[in-house]
């Protein structure tokens, strides 16, 4: 497929605008942008925004539909794009845990993208970098347990929250928990566990997460504690991560350094002094709008488009 017809649905949002920029950078010319009726007629990245109606999405002139709208809008609109013959790559949580829908991080389980039945789900913006770092360590020594604490940028909550942070003075005490609750966990905490288990195909891996929003514009950071089945030194883990796809080992990963880069920055890899055995600690940072969302979805599209060429 020489010039795939790509639609970005949610193209006025935090993730959608980054997707449009990345598509242009990667040389895609046949790109359309959709959003709600509120934005129809606006110009974004030189393209006129169209209203994402069921009929427009089902018209049969879209090969790949990159959805970055909220969960309820995805539930409503994705089936229409699929009905029209598009492959839908959805960044909301609507389909991530649905049986039979691949949940894909290309560096971790890219082959699964080719098993789609019209929909591929893009994982949560913390799960993507986490699994990029965990998978190679699992292959080397077997993961026994994972604990993660996140420090998540405001852009993870959308363009309006970014605008609010830009407008309002930064409150350095503004560390918060702005997700809805599922029992005594945030939904973000349970998503990280369930999605990482699905992507790595380790349904019984114990994972616990603590998610926190911090007053940073772009770039999620995560502290990660792992225990492995086999001994793995910090030096060995670092060596493995140096050759892991999508990962760049640095001394001290920060959101500032990760912003607008494609890589997951991983560093501060060391022995976990509190673990009973085989414990390591590491820190990572990743642009939540790039590899955490838009880039990951485009990479999934490229795996599927490459298959269409064979
Ligand atoms: N931000 C992140 O770091 C991140 C990372 C991974 C996944 N995600 C997921 O990606 C999705 C989008 O997130 P975001 O941060 O980009 O949100 P956002 O900045 O609030 O943007 C939402 C986009 O969806 C559009 N939209 C909303 N309702 C719609 C409807 N009924 N029909 C058509 N378009 C509609 C909006 O269009 P209007 O401008 O017309 O309102 C806007 O373009 C969410 O599901 C989110 O969970 C976000």
């Amino acid at each position: 497929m020489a010039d795939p017809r790509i639609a970005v649905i949610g193209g006025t949002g935090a993730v959608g605008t980054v997707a449009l920029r990345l598509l242009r950078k990667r040389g895609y010319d046949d790109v359309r942008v959709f959003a709600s009726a509120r934005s129809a007629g606006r110009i974004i990245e030189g393209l006129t925004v169209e209203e994402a109606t069921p009929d427009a999405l089902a018209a049969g002139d879209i090969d790949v539909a990159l959805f970055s709208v909220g969960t309820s809008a995805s539930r409503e609109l994705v089936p229409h794009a699929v009905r029209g013959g598009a492959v839908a790559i959805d960044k909301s949580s609507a389909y991530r845990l649905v049986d039979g829908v691949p949940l894909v991080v290309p560096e971790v389980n890219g082959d699964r993208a080719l098993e789609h039945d019209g929909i591929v789900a893009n994982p949560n913006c913390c799960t993507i970098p986490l699994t990029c770092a965990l998978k190679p360590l699992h292959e080397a020594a077997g993961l026994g347990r994972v604990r993660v604490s996140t420090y998540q940028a405001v852009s993870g909550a959308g363009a309006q929250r970014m605008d609010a942070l830009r407008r309002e003075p930064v409150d350095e005490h503004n560390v918060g928990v702005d997700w809805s609750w599922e029992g005594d966990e945030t939904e973000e905490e349970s998503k990280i566990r369930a999605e990482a288990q699905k992507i790595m195909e380790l349904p019984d891996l114990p994972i616990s997460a603590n998610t926190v929003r911090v007053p940073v514009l772009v770039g999620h950071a995560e502290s990660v504690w792992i225990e492995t089945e086999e001994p793995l030194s910090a030096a060995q883990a670092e060596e493995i991560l140096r050759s892991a796809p999508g990962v760049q080992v640095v001394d001290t990963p920060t959101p500032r350094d990760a912003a607008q880069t494609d890589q997951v920055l991983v560093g501060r890899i060391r022995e976990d002094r509190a673990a009973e055995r085989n414990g390591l600690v590491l820190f990572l940072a990743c642009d939540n709008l790039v590899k955490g969302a838009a880039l990951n979805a485009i990479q999934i599209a490229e795996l599927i488009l490459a298959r269409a060429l064979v």
Side-chain angles (χ1 to χ4, degrees), residues 139-152:
E139 282 173 351
L143 287 174
R145 189 178 309 277
V146 176
R147 296 184 175 92
V148 55
S149 196
T150 71
Y151 315 89
Q152 296 181 223

Side-chain angles (χ1 to χ4, degrees), residues 57-85:
L57 297 176
D61 52 5
I62 299 170
D63 298 312
V64 174
L66 299 172
F67 278 87
S68 53
V69 295
T71 299
S72 59
S74 278
R75 285 208 180 100
E76 185 200 328
L77 295 173
V78 164
H80 295 291
V82 175
R83 179 163 60 87

Side-chain angles (χ1 to χ4, degrees), residues 24-161:
R24 179 173 298 245
K25 202 166 136 190
R26 290 163 101 88
Y28 294 100
D29 290 325
D30 195 344
V31 177
R32 289 161 69 194
V33 53
F34 292 87
S36 78
R38 287 181 293 275
S39 305
R42 273 182 64 190
I43 307 288
I44 301 280
E45 291 277 325
L47 301 168
T48 304
V49 178
E50 301 174 55
E51 183 182 349
T53 63
D55 285 349
L57 297 176
D61 52 5
I62 299 170
D63 298 312
V64 174
L66 299 172
F67 278 87
S68 53
V69 295
T71 299
S72 59
S74 278
R75 285 208 180 100
E76 185 200 328
L77 295 173
V78 164
H80 295 291
V82 175
R83 179 163 60 87
V87 177
I89 300 169
D90 183 48
K91 300 191 199 69
S92 81
S93 56
Y95 298 97
R96 289 180 190 155
L97 300 178
V98 173
D99 279 348
V101 174
L103 179 64
V104 176
V105 180
E107 293 85 347
V108 178
N109 66 340
D111 288 350
R112 292 284 177 216
L114 305 177
E115 297 170 4
H116 72 84
D117 199 11
I119 305 174
V120 181
N122 198 68
N124 172 280
C125 41
C126 284
T127 317
I128 291 170
L130 181 66
T131 54
C132 283
L134 290 182
K135 182 69 188 305
L137 300 177
H138 173 68
E139 282 173 351
L143 287 174
R145 189 178 309 277
V146 176
R147 296 184 175 92
V148 55
S149 196
T150 71
Y151 315 89
Q152 296 181 223
V154 162
S155 54
Q160 286 184 356
R161 287 283 300 277

Side-chain angles (χ1 to χ4, degrees), residues 4-309:
R5 298 166 300 176
I6 300 177
V8 174
I9 300 100
T12 56
V15 176
T17 48
V18 172
L20 290 170
R21 181 167 51 77
L22 293 176
L23 287 167
R24 179 173 298 245
K25 202 166 136 190
R26 290 163 101 88
Y28 294 100
D29 290 325
D30 195 344
V31 177
R32 289 161 69 194
V33 53
F34 292 87
S36 78
R38 287 181 293 275
S39 305
R42 273 182 64 190
I43 307 288
I44 301 280
E45 291 277 325
L47 301 168
T48 304
V49 178
E50 301 174 55
E51 183 182 349
T53 63
D55 285 349
L57 297 176
D61 52 5
I62 299 170
D63 298 312
V64 174
L66 299 172
F67 278 87
S68 53
V69 295
T71 299
S72 59
S74 278
R75 285 208 180 100
E76 185 200 328
L77 295 173
V78 164
H80 295 291
V82 175
R83 179 163 60 87
V87 177
I89 300 169
D90 183 48
K91 300 191 199 69
S92 81
S93 56
Y95 298 97
R96 289 180 190 155
L97 300 178
V98 173
D99 279 348
V101 174
L103 179 64
V104 176
V105 180
E107 293 85 347
V108 178
N109 66 340
D111 288 350
R112 292 284 177 216
L114 305 177
E115 297 170 4
H116 72 84
D117 199 11
I119 305 174
V120 181
N122 198 68
N124 172 280
C125 41
C126 284
T127 317
I128 291 170
L130 181 66
T131 54
C132 283
L134 290 182
K135 182 69 188 305
L137 300 177
H138 173 68
E139 282 173 351
L143 287 174
R145 189 178 309 277
V146 176
R147 296 184 175 92
V148 55
S149 196
T150 71
Y151 315 89
Q152 296 181 223
V154 162
S155 54
Q160 286 184 356
R161 287 283 300 277
M162 293 174 81
D163 289 344
L165 183 66
R166 286 189 183 107
R167 273 196 316 268
E168 292 158 12
V170 172
D171 171 2
E172 58 266 39
H173 302 294
N174 183 16
V175 171
V177 175
D178 53 14
W179 298 274
S180 54
W181 293 89
E182 283 183 358
D184 59 359
E185 280 188 319
T186 67
E187 59 169 358
E188 191 82 346
E189 287 156 358
S190 67
K191 274 181 197 167
I192 290 172
R193 173 174 49 253
E195 292 179 21
Q197 289 170 334
K198 177 170 175 174
I199 294 162
M200 294 193 293
E201 297 175 23
L202 296 170
D204 300 321
L205 178 66
I207 304 180
S208 78
N210 213 27
T211 60
V212 169
R213 184 84 61 203
V214 293
V216 166
L217 196 61
V218 171
H220 289 355
E222 303 178 35
S223 288
V224 186
W225 293 261
I226 66 168
E227 289 172 30
T228 53
E229 303 289 355
E230 304 297 327
L232 185 70
S233 70
Q236 287 170 320
E238 180 171 327
E239 171 120 9
I240 288 161
L241 288 167
R242 279 192 190 283
S243 51
V247 168
Q248 185 184 351
V249 173
V250 298
D251 287 343
T252 309
T254 65
R256 184 191 295 275
D257 292 338
Q260 297 194 28
T261 70
D262 292 356
Q263 275 79 34
V264 179
L265 306 185
V266 181
R268 309 207 54 218
I269 304 157
R270 60 204 191 275
E271 179 195 334
D272 178 2
R273 271 83 168 168
E276 279 181 22
R277 63 183 195 110
N278 301 343
L280 292 173
V281 196
L282 57 86
F283 196 73
L284 65 82
C286 171
D287 188 321
N288 51 295
L289 301 176
V290 179
K291 182 56 185 166
L295 174 64
N296 196 73
I298 293 170
Q299 290 171 323
I300 293 170
E302 289 174 343
L303 289 174
I304 293 167
L305 291 167
R307 165 59 74 88
L309 288 173

